[in-house]
Amino acid sequence: MDIKKNDILTVEITDTGTEGEGIGKLALPAPDAADTEEKAGGKAAGFTLFVKDAVIGDTVQVKVMKAKKNYAYAKLEKVLVPSPFRVQPPCAFHRQCGGCQLQSLSYEKQLEFKQNKIRNNLVRIGGFDPEKIDACMEPIIGMEDPWHYRNKAQFPFGYDKEGNVVTGFYAGRSHTIIPNADCALGVEENQEILEIILRFMKKYGVPAYEEVSGKGLLRHVLIRKGFASGQLMVCLIINGKKLPEEQRLADELWKIPGMTSVSVNVNMERTNVIMGKKVRVLKGEEKIEDSIGDVVFRISPLSFYQVNPVQTRKLYGQALEYAGLTGEETVWDLYCGIGTISLFLAQKAKKVYGVEIVPEAIADAKENAVRNGITNTEFYVGKAEEVLPRKYEADGVYAGVIVVDPPRKGCDEKCLETMVRMRPGRIVYVSCDSATLGRDLKYLGENGYEVARVRGVDQFPGTTHVETVTLLVRKP
Ligand code: SAH
């Protein structure tokens, strides 16, 4: 018997896949297939099942959804014997929602999964010797309380089947909205803000944007909270210039303690990109304030800001330690955002240069430097892979230490190539995707640098994502 769609099987989950899914090697066919047991046993030896929502250590009953020759994707039907690592997830929607993949796994095991994920990517993609990686990998830094850690959320608006306006989260791999305003990762104010907006939409007949037709008005809302300052930001992203009765909405939101910034952002493009380019303030300030350690930051709706402030403090602390600054160094901070790492390092360096592609973020970075009385920083708008080579070739700039913190796609090769040519003694690579980190470390490893220390920081509990800080030193 071949394994085919709709087969019901029993399997023990022995591993966790990169997407957080459970992995099992086929054990026994389900009882109703007992008559073909002998044949199936023979053919299916080594057959792998990928089961979303199954936890390592579970024995589960699954239904095959898509079968290939040696493996199949299957749906979890029933947990027959729960894993000792299985926990009760706090969110009722965790199986549908695309946000959390590891909620049913104990936090300790989540950390173990992430530690292994980094290690495997460095070995498999980076091509490093496993022993070498084990020797320089430090234990991942987790959270004490791994819930409600996110300072930012973006909720889409749309309609349910009955035509009611809804907001919540996209279901995994789709743009169907699951109406849940009470996310276990977000701040408690999210719910009240969303309820006010939904009430307002109903009262004034404000239509939600519909991706299929490109019609409608309210697309998303961005909510941010400064954990240290308590300040709240609400930015409404609209497919038009104005919301009807927008001041009334701003006044209503203003009643929430901490509300500091209510704005609209215009995005009239038919695109998946959430934010448009222009922000118009409805009430209060355009930016909110927050601090990490003793550095204060002003953050605009368009700028990137790390989503988990508690862990960000630890992440930057680790980057600072790896940078090994004595006060004499010239540091380049590539992909610097609003200058968070730059300003953190500037306190211990001679000079820090930051490079970032988003002009608003660089404006924030400059303002943040002034606000903190930091005078040894300079910031440039542009692509790291263009600014760095230009500065190096035209002005012959020097770097003792280079810090990079690129988005998931990692560094452009042109950027890596210039970094190597600049010959800094140390490179600190902060990465949110250990697969592209592996690729880039391979390049740096082949071009004069040695991986000296690696450490994961769990910025995203409940999900499969993990941040990694790596120290590379120039080989003698
Ligand atoms: N170091 C910052 C930001 C890291 S996120 C912090 O910790 O807050 C990555 C940043 O890279 C984003 O701000 C993004 O706008 C920026 N970016 C993306 N592509 C870029 C490129 N090619 N060159 C420079 N910056 C880029």
Side-chain angles (χ1 to χ4, degrees):
M1 183 199 76
D2 284 324
I3 304 293
K4 55 182 192 311
K5 190 171 161 141
N6 293 332
D7 280 356
I8 305 285
L9 303 165
T10 298
V11 66
E12 189 193 339
I13 302 298
T14 49
D15 203 356
T16 310
T18 50
E19 307 290 319
E21 75 279 20
I23 299 179
K25 295 275 182 203
L26 205 56
L28 285 174
D32 61 347
D35 52 338
T36 55
E37 188 172 341
E38 208 176 303
K39 273 198 264 170
K43 260 201 177 175
F47 193 92
T48 307
L49 286 169
F50 297 95
V51 190
K52 185 178 162 304
D53 303 318
V55 164
I56 185 166
D58 279 345
T59 299
V60 291
Q61 182 177 306
V62 302
K63 184 174 177 179
V64 174
M65 305 309 285
K66 195 171 161 191
K68 302 274 183 189
K69 194 158 167 278
N70 299 318
Y71 65 93
Y73 296 98
K75 193 168 158 239
L76 175 63
E77 295 260 307
K78 213 192 286 173
V79 178
L80 301 174
V81 186
S83 161
F85 313 119
R86 182 173 267 285
V87 293
Q88 181 63 37
C91 171
F93 299 96
H94 73 281
R95 281 188 69 176
Q96 293 126 282
C97 177
C100 291
Q101 306 81 20
L102 298 178
Q103 270 205 19
S104 307
L105 187 62
S106 73
Y107 188 54
E108 212 172 292
K109 274 278 169 187
Q110 288 186 27
L111 292 176
E112 192 181 309
F113 164 79
K114 293 181 190 197
Q115 179 91 1
N116 286 335
K117 176 177 173 168
I118 298 168
R119 179 187 185 273
N120 292 343
N121 279 332
L122 297 193
V123 171
R124 273 205 347 263
I125 304 172
F128 293 98
D129 181 354
E131 276 174 23
K132 151 94 188 137
I133 293 300
D134 289 340
C136 59
M137 249 187 114
E138 301 177 66
I140 185 166
I141 304 175
M143 287 192 89
E144 248 162 63
D145 173 16
W147 303 110
H148 298 288
Y149 58 80
R150 279 189 73 101
N151 60 11
K152 171 187 162 183
Q154 296 175 122
F155 295 92
F157 290 87
Y159 294 96
D160 65 11
K161 288 205 185 79
E162 284 77 46
N164 302 307
V165 175
V166 290
T167 184
F169 284 93
Y170 288 135
R173 297 179 194 281
S174 89
H175 274 194
T176 307
I177 296 172
I178 299 166
N180 170 31
D182 183 20
C183 169
L185 306 189
V187 298
E188 61 176 338
E189 288 90 344
N190 285 344
Q191 204 166 353
E192 191 180 353
I193 292 169
L194 294 176
E195 278 162 13
I196 290 174
I197 298 172
L198 286 177
R199 265 204 311 274
F200 166 83
M201 290 172 82
K202 277 186 203 134
K203 185 162 175 191
Y204 294 103
V206 177
Y209 177 73
E210 289 175 272
E211 275 181 323
V212 180
S213 64
K215 296 211 168 71
L217 195 53
L218 188 55
R219 298 174 75 123
H220 274 86
V221 60
L222 162 77
I223 304 173
R224 243 184 200 154
K225 181 177 182 180
F227 275 35
S229 66
Q231 295 186 356
L232 283 166
M233 164 189 286
V234 173
C235 180
L236 303 139
I237 296 115
I238 56 176
N239 178 39
K241 296 241 159 60
K242 230 176 140 329
L243 270 178
E245 304 293 336
E246 57 189 20
Q247 275 310 325
R248 284 181 198 271
L249 175 59
D251 291 342
E252 201 53 43
L253 290 168
W254 205 253
K255 292 178 186 159
I256 300 175
M259 191 59 64
T260 306
S261 166
V262 182
S263 62
V264 290
N265 171 269
V266 177
N267 182 0
M268 291 165 71
E269 307 283 321
R270 303 270 308 256
T271 160
N272 269 342
V273 176
I274 295 180
M275 304 283 287
K277 291 202 166 62
K278 286 221 161 59
V279 175
R280 180 165 52 83
V281 175
L282 296 180
K283 203 171 174 94
E285 313 272 322
E286 182 183 330
K287 301 173 188 181
I288 59 166
E289 212 172 84
D290 196 25
S291 51
I292 303 172
D294 47 12
V295 188
V296 182
F297 298 99
R298 302 250 299 160
I299 310 144
S300 77
L302 293 173
S303 298
F304 174 90
Y305 184 60
Q306 296 282 355
V307 298
N308 182 337
V310 171
Q311 293 300 89
T312 298
R313 175 74 183 77
K314 301 178 192 168
L315 177 73
Y316 292 173
Q318 195 62 57
L320 182 64
E321 187 194 323
Y322 283 2
L325 301 176
T326 62
E328 293 305 311
E329 292 80 5
T330 300
V331 182
W332 280 77
D333 176 22
L334 308 177
Y335 312 85
C336 71
I338 61 171
T340 31
I341 295 181
S342 319
L343 298 180
F344 218 71
L345 300 182
Q347 298 166 309
K348 299 268 162 65
K350 188 160 118 206
K351 178 95 191 181
V352 179
Y353 295 94
V355 183
E356 158 66 42
I357 198 169
V358 175
E360 287 79 7
I362 286 292
D364 286 356
K366 289 180 178 167
E367 189 187 324
N368 288 331
V370 173
R371 207 180 176 76
N372 288 284
I374 294 172
T375 52
N376 56 340
T377 52
E378 239 173 82
F379 293 98
Y380 302 106
V381 180
K383 292 185 179 171
E385 61 272 24
E386 289 173 8
V387 173
L388 193 67
R390 199 168 62 228
K391 286 277 156 198
Y392 178 61
E393 268 139 42
D395 309 342
V397 290
Y398 158 86
V401 179
I402 296 182
V403 178
V404 296
D405 183 8
R408 282 190 204 162
K409 68 174 187 215
C411 293
D412 189 280
E413 196 166 316
K414 182 81 192 152
C415 179
L416 294 173
E417 187 195 301
T418 312
M419 285 162 59
V420 166
R421 276 167 51 213
M422 288 172 78
R423 298 174 55 81
R426 288 171 176 239
I427 295 173
V428 179
Y429 196 133
V430 181
S431 159
C432 55
D433 183 336
S434 51
T436 57
L437 174 70
R439 180 200 66 201
D440 291 351
L441 293 189
K442 184 175 166 67
Y443 180 94
L444 293 169
E446 287 165 355
N447 288 281
Y449 284 84
E450 180 154 23
V451 173
R453 290 171 76 185
V454 181
R455 187 155 207 185
V457 182
D458 189 19
Q459 298 273 91
F460 316 103
T463 80
T464 54
H465 300 288
V466 62
E467 204 85 6
T468 312
V469 199
T470 304
L471 167 64
L472 295 119
V473 291
R474 201 176 67 229
K475 289 179 198 157

